[in-house]
Amino acid sequence: MNLTAIFIVAIIVGGITSIISTLSNKKNKESNKLSKAERDDMQVQIEQMNARIETLERIVTDEKYSLNQQFADLK
C-alpha cells in the first residue's frame, strides 16, 4: 500500500469510530432518561419494599420468633 492509501484508510476508520461512538453515547443518554411516571412507579415500589423489609425485621427480631427457632433447633 502506498502512503496515500494508508491515510485514506486511517481517515475512514477514524470517521467510522467517531460515528459509532456518537451513536453509542446518544443511545446511552436516551436509555438513562426515565419518564416521570416511571420514576413515580419506581418510588412506589421502593416504598413498598421498605415496608416489607420493616415487617420482616419486626418478625425476625420478635421474641416469639426467636423462641420458636430455638424450639425448632432442639427438634
Side-chain angles (χ1 to χ4, degrees):
M1 290 177 96
N2 61 19
L3 194 55
T4 307
I6 293 173
F7 284 129
I8 291 173
V9 170
I11 291 171
I12 291 172
V13 169
I16 291 172
T17 305
S18 175
I19 291 170
I20 291 172
S21 175
T22 302
L23 291 176
S24 176
N25 288 340
K26 184 178 178 183
K27 186 176 182 181
N28 286 339
K29 286 180 183 178
E30 288 176 359
S31 67
N32 288 338
K33 293 180 182 176
L34 296 175
S35 69
K36 182 171 175 19
E38 290 173 327
R39 282 194 308 265
D40 291 344
D41 288 341
M42 286 185 182
Q43 186 64 35
V44 168
Q45 288 178 357
I46 290 170
E47 290 170 3
Q48 290 172 347
M49 283 189 248
N50 284 337
R52 290 178 183 165
I53 290 171
E54 288 173 8
T55 302
L56 290 172
E57 287 175 344
R58 192 170 39 252
I59 291 170
V60 170
T61 57
D62 187 27
E63 291 178 15
K64 292 178 184 177
Y65 179 82
S66 175
L67 187 60
N68 287 336
Q69 282 297 107
Q70 290 174 5
F71 283 135
D73 291 341
L74 291 175
K75 290 182 182 179

